[in-house]
Amino acid sequence: MPMATGLIETSSALRFLQQLSKDFGQEAADGDREVCAEAAMPGGGIARMKADAQGLTVTLLSDDPAVIALSKRLIEGYIANCPFRDQLDHVEWVDRDGPVASFSDA
């Protein structure tokens, strides 16, 4: 199943995650050292987001590579237009096309 993971190195990771969660109609779940959220993306994809000391990690998962490409553009566009963004040029995505049973296998 196609998957892409992007790391956004930012000190505002928690704020990004909270706003993305709100915009996608989801609640973020607090952990000990990280905050996670999962949201449905347009076209049937899923985005799992994790904010921690390194930044915001976004993992996109879908059966359709076109949905992953669209989801990447949506996430990048949101970050580019976010009022509290850091000096971010783009997100570095790592694509994977292999069997993934769940996000925990990624």
Side-chain angles (χ1 to χ4, degrees):
M1 177 174 291
M3 181 173 89
T5 301
L7 174 62
I8 303 152
E9 295 178 1
T10 175
S11 60
S12 301
L14 179 59
R15 291 179 73 188
F16 278 122
L17 183 133
Q18 290 170 333
Q19 191 61 47
L20 283 166
S21 296
K22 180 181 172 185
D23 290 350
F24 291 129
Q26 301 294 319
E27 282 291 321
D30 290 328
D32 289 338
R33 297 181 183 189
E34 61 187 40
V35 179
C36 297
E38 195 169 289
M41 298 299 287
I46 297 173
R48 182 174 187 204
M49 301 166 284
K50 178 181 77 170
D52 58 22
Q54 293 180 347
L56 178 64
T57 302
V58 179
T59 302
L60 304 170
L61 183 65
S62 174
D63 290 328
D64 185 351
V67 170
I68 290 192
L70 172 63
S71 297
K72 285 179 187 179
R73 289 192 306 272
L74 290 172
I75 297 291
E76 290 169 353
Y78 175 82
I79 290 168
N81 293 304
C82 192
F84 51 84
R85 68 187 175 274
D86 294 314
Q87 297 297 319
L88 300 174
D89 293 328
H90 64 286
V91 180
E92 289 293 329
W93 295 100
V94 176
D95 294 310
R96 177 173 154 186
D97 188 21
V100 176
S102 69
F103 281 119
S104 60
D105 294 341

